């Protein structure tokens, strides 16, 4: 069944991103004018959160990703202009983590986030091929761009975590597709697995139950799946 959920909050016109915390039964949306909206499924209530660092009513500062730490339920939110923030759902506390991005090369613009629920670290993909890992407990940032640079180049890196192999899969411009293995600290190029995609800008979705990576072409009518087991 389909049920529409509408609320007159925050002047938001359209959603630019959405993610779900299934344990807390919370849906998070980021609007086109950079407002974070929290929808509580249990109570059927919606809350507007407008004071995240780097957010603006201007569309210039584009939303670039959300990820949830399943252990702490902290939400990570990234914008295009070197801004990374957290939102803690129980207390409502907001924290600016942007200073930790300074170790990443100048001109860094984020393109996506993925949380490794095994190692409890956050992976960050960049607009021009940057790739990094943030440890929220040690509060350290490690730049991993050189691990993927041999085949990735200056293409966007959009990360997604796959729990069976505990790998970070990456999709990007130019039909780029591969994964980073934290256990061996190496990256593998999988472009040959999808040779028909050409220069398509790839985005990823993970099925953690059946261990399948789904690939969608952002600028072309392409859709495929990659089975990480077979």
């Amino acid at each position: 069944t389909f049920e529409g959920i509408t609320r007159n909050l925050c002047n938001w016109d359209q959603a630019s991103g959405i993610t779900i915390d299934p344990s807390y039964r919370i849906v998070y949306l980021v609007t086109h004018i950079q407002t974070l909206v929290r929808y509580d499924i249990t109570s059927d209530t919606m809350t507007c959160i407008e004071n995240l660092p780097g957010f603006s009513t201007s569309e210039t500062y584009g939303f670039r990703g959300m990820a949830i730490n399943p252990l702490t339920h902290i939400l990570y939110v990234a914008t295009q202009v070197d801004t990374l923030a957290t939102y803690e759902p129980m207390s409502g506390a907001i924290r600016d983590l942007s200073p930790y991005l300074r170790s990443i090369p100048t001109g860094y613009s984020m393109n996506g986030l993925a949380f490794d629920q095994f190692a409890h670290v956050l992976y960050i993909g960049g607009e021009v091929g940057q790739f990094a890992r943030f440890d929220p407990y040690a509060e350290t940032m490690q730049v991993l761009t050189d691990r993927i640079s041999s085949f990735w180049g200056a293409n966007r890196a959009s990360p997604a975590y796959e729990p069976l192999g505990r790998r970070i899969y990456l999709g990007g411009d130019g039909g780029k597709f591969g994964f980073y293995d934290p256990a061996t600290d190496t990256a593998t190029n999988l472009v040959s697995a999808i040779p028909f995609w050409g220069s398509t800008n790839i985005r990823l979705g993970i099925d953690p139950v059946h261990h399948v990576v789904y690939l969608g072409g952002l600028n072309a009518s392409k859709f495929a799946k990659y089975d990480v087991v077979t």
Side-chain angles (χ1 to χ4, degrees), residues 12 14-20 27-38 55 62-67 75 77-78:
W12 63 288
Q14 62 188 41
S16 297
I18 184 169
T19 194
I20 300 170
V27 180
Y28 294 100
L29 301 96
V30 170
T31 76
H32 204 45
I33 55 171
Q34 302 305 299
T35 295
L36 177 65
V37 178
R38 165 184 168 161
F55 272 26
F63 161 75
R64 281 298 180 267
M66 285 189 286
L75 173 74
V77 184

Side-chain angles (χ1 to χ4, degrees), residues 15 48 63 88 115 158 171 201 225:
C48 173
F63 161 75
E88 204 288 313
F115 200 88
S158 181
N201 187 349
K225 67 178 182 178

Side-chain angles (χ1 to χ4, degrees), residues 43-65:
S43 64
D44 188 30
T45 57
M46 213 173 252
T47 305
C48 173
I49 304 158
E50 296 181 301
N51 56 338
L52 264 72
F55 272 26
S56 168
T57 54
S58 167
E59 296 177 12
T60 304
Y61 303 105
F63 161 75
R64 281 298 180 267

